[in-house]
Amino acid sequence: MGTEPHAAPAPLGDDPGALRRALIAAGFTLDGVADCLGPMAAAALHREQRLPADLMTREDDSPVATLVRLFALGLPVNVRQADRALAGWDTARLAAAGLVRVDGSRVTAAYDLRPYGDDSHQWWVASDLSEVMTGEPLPVDHVLGIGGASLTLASWTPRRDVRRALDLGTGCGVQSLHLTGHAASIVATDTSQRALDIAAWNAALNGVQWDARRGDLFKPVAGERFDLIVSNPPFVITPRSEGVPTYEYRDGGRVGDRVVRTLIRELPRHLEPGGVAQLLANWEVPEGADWPDVVGGWFEGTGLDAWVVQRDTQDPAEYAELWSGDGGIRSGTRDYERLYAAWLRDFAERGVAEIGFGVITVQLPQTRRRPWLDLVEVTGPVRSPMGPAIDAGLRARTWLAEAGEQRLLDAHLTVAADVTEERHGRPGAEDPSVIVVRQGGGLRRAIRVDTVTAALVSVCDGELSVGQALEAIAALLDVPTDRLVAETLPAIHDLVADGLLLTSE
């Protein structure tokens, strides 16, 4: 199945800064590639569809088009094209650095290399060639490039300035690149030496530094604590059956979802008080169980605050189809059918009814108090980047946990600028039957509220406290204030937690 390991990476060369400058001069940047391909081909390439970009660059002999074909599409170019694409980096020098292979007049990429960045940074990321480029199943030590999971984690991570950060399971180093913008020091770990070697390439190529260490989960950082931990761990639930390939990038060598469960149980020993961990996870839901009960149990006795957002679910067959075909194994082949059956047997033997995917945000409280736990399902589009909303949500939930009921009643709240209200009713009805307050950013929550909560939201302009507003509404409705407070305060709590209502503190 094409699972033999790669050869060891060659050194990147003695002057990675010169390569970075040559890439910029050639226009092999985010803007340069976008201009070369146009929006349609660029979007298709993001979905790992090469043909539109191939068609756009076939007759283009410019340096950026040559580099796109070579490093982003995995297509061969001739030596003449390769020699003139990068100033100071002819084919021989690229080959010596291990970036290309030369066969006569034909040059092919040894690695995927492409520009990447965010609003403030321009980077280049090397990784192993994908199965789309090679046409072959992936080796077991394949190092992924920039994919959907890594982009999700980067988007959801809060970007507070921190002293020490840990990128657990760094892969090619994408998360560590992001951390360089707001962490004074970074430790990057992985079980794969090949991943660490390629991450070191990417650090050198981008002129940044981090402390790379090899080992499983927290073993490389035993006894150390961090202000921020990010992890895209090998969370794929893989049958422990003979003949099922154990890809290093996706399989942590444990049964079921135990990789993430183990990681969470160990987090309290590696977070500073007030420290945050952001990670992705899969979880198994047994027959007759609900996912909040399953995942909520992971945090019992840890003392951690936890905010879990379930983003998707799959039944065992859907999950088996996704991962049996991962790595270039084609549907309908004997290998695919054998792997599909192994996944189905594994789930059936362990009574798994559903598999969830989500984002987990964890915080070690700074004060001795009862930790908070918030588990929600949000399957629709969310704001990107989500980091600012996660940061605000952590602060709001922490404030609520420490404030208590009386402080919430004393709070002067305002409605967030992105909140709108919708009212729906039967034709001709005097009053609406449904009132929804909707958030434009963040998780884009749409929360159904009753008329009292809607009335409270409508007067949240910072003038009255929550208690004063509810007292006025109770007088207007001629109902006891205590009863109104008891009925309405949970909804107000949720609106504050999700950022629809803002405190002045």
Side-chain angles (χ1 to χ4, degrees):
M1 289 189 295
T3 58
E4 290 301 314
H6 284 286
L12 185 57
D14 57 0
D15 192 357
L19 177 56
R20 181 172 68 250
R21 292 189 293 273
L23 292 169
I24 295 171
F28 196 55
T29 61
L30 286 170
D31 290 342
V33 171
D35 290 343
C36 175
L37 297 182
M40 183 186 74
L45 183 59
H46 185 69
R47 301 191 301 271
E48 295 192 61
Q49 297 295 324
R50 293 190 303 171
L51 182 59
D54 178 11
L55 295 173
M56 287 295 294
T57 56
R58 278 184 187 179
E59 306 302 322
D60 188 344
D61 203 32
S62 67
V64 65
T66 298
L67 295 171
V68 166
R69 294 184 68 78
L70 182 62
F71 289 121
L73 303 184
L75 297 172
V77 302
N78 63 52
V79 169
R80 179 190 62 82
Q81 290 174 306
D83 280 344
R84 61 189 292 270
L86 287 169
W89 285 77
D90 60 12
T91 302
R93 189 176 183 187
L94 288 171
L99 290 171
V100 302
R101 302 184 182 99
V102 184
D103 183 8
S105 64
R106 175 186 168 105
V107 182
T108 57
Y111 294 90
D112 183 306
L113 175 65
R114 62 185 74 191
Y116 172 69
D118 58 20
D119 291 341
S120 305
H121 302 91
Q122 168 74 71
W123 299 303
W124 289 264
V125 175
S127 60
D128 280 324
L129 298 173
S130 70
E131 70 273 21
V132 175
M133 292 177 169
T134 65
E136 298 290 338
L138 299 177
V140 292
D141 61 349
H142 178 82
V143 177
L144 285 175
I146 303 155
S150 59
L151 290 172
T152 296
L153 181 59
S155 173
W156 284 63
T157 299
R159 299 298 170 191
R160 303 176 184 177
D161 288 336
V162 296
R163 185 177 64 88
R164 297 194 77 211
L166 170 65
D167 178 8
L168 190 151
T170 189
C172 68
V174 172
Q175 306 307 321
S176 289
L177 286 173
H178 283 278
L179 290 171
T180 58
H182 63 108
S185 68
I186 301 160
V187 176
T189 69
D190 208 289
T191 59
S192 165
Q193 185 58 52
R194 182 175 185 80
L196 292 174
D197 290 341
I198 291 178
W201 269 21
N202 288 325
L205 180 57
N206 291 287
V208 298
Q209 291 183 329
W210 50 70
D211 178 0
R213 307 181 193 176
R214 187 180 182 187
D216 183 49
L217 294 181
F218 288 106
K219 288 182 180 178
V221 293
E224 298 180 50
R225 291 182 178 269
F226 300 87
D227 306 294
L228 176 63
I229 298 174
V230 297
S231 183
N232 180 12
F235 57 71
V236 177
I237 297 164
T238 307
R240 308 260 65 89
S241 306
E242 185 176 347
V244 176
T246 53
Y247 288 106
E248 291 179 345
Y249 69 85
R250 74 180 195 191
D251 177 31
R254 293 166 174 82
V255 174
D257 51 25
R258 195 170 296 166
V259 168
V260 181
R261 282 187 283 146
T262 302
L263 194 159
I264 287 170
R265 301 302 296 186
E266 295 181 4
L267 274 173
R269 294 196 295 273
H270 296 283
L271 282 172
E272 294 283 6
V276 173
Q278 192 77 55
L279 56 145
L280 305 182
N282 276 171
W283 43 80
E284 298 179 330
V285 182
E287 294 280 357
D290 294 322
W291 81 266
D293 294 330
V294 171
V295 179
W298 293 357
F299 299 95
E300 291 179 2
T302 64
L304 295 168
D305 297 328
W307 182 10
V308 184
V309 182
Q310 178 165 277
R311 298 288 288 143
D312 194 16
T313 60
Q314 292 181 318
D315 64 35
E318 290 173 315
Y319 197 85
E321 290 157 16
L322 172 64
W323 295 109
S324 297
D326 180 61
I329 300 171
R330 292 184 177 87
S331 176
T333 63
R334 183 173 297 178
D335 283 336
Y336 177 87
E337 299 296 337
R338 180 174 58 79
L339 293 175
Y340 196 161
W343 252 282
L344 292 180
R345 281 196 303 272
D346 179 59
F347 286 135
E349 288 169 359
R350 294 185 297 106
V352 176
E354 185 176 76
I355 303 91
F357 168 81
V359 187
I360 299 176
T361 307
V362 167
Q363 176 179 255
L364 183 65
Q366 284 185 311
T367 59
R368 288 182 174 272
R369 58 166 171 78
R370 184 176 180 179
W372 52 262
L373 177 64
D374 191 3
L375 303 105
V376 296
E377 184 167 28
V378 180
T379 57
V382 298
R383 180 181 178 179
S384 183
M386 267 294 294
I390 293 296
D391 199 359
L394 277 172
R395 296 180 192 280
R397 286 165 173 78
T398 301
W399 181 85
L400 287 164
E402 295 175 352
E405 181 177 306
Q406 187 56 52
R407 196 164 158 198
L408 179 56
L409 286 171
D410 292 340
H412 292 250
L413 304 179
T414 56
V415 182
D418 63 344
V419 172
T420 56
E421 181 184 273
E422 302 169 7
R423 293 180 177 244
H424 307 273
R426 295 284 300 167
E430 184 175 343
D431 297 315
S433 54
V434 176
I435 306 174
V436 175
V437 289
R438 187 179 297 276
Q439 182 181 44
L443 290 172
R444 296 183 179 174
R445 302 300 304 275
I447 301 175
R448 185 170 176 173
V449 298
D450 59 21
T451 54
V452 172
T453 304
L456 183 281
V457 171
S458 71
V459 299
C460 281
D461 58 4
E463 291 296 321
L464 297 176
S465 70
V466 171
Q468 290 169 335
L470 288 176
E471 188 175 348
I473 294 169
L476 186 64
L477 297 176
D478 194 23
V479 297
T481 300
D482 290 348
R483 192 185 82 189
L484 202 67
V485 167
E487 292 173 348
T488 310
L489 214 56
I492 299 169
H493 181 285
D494 291 346
L495 293 170
V496 171
D498 282 327
L500 288 84
L501 294 177
L502 307 176
T503 72
S504 57
E505 298 185 44

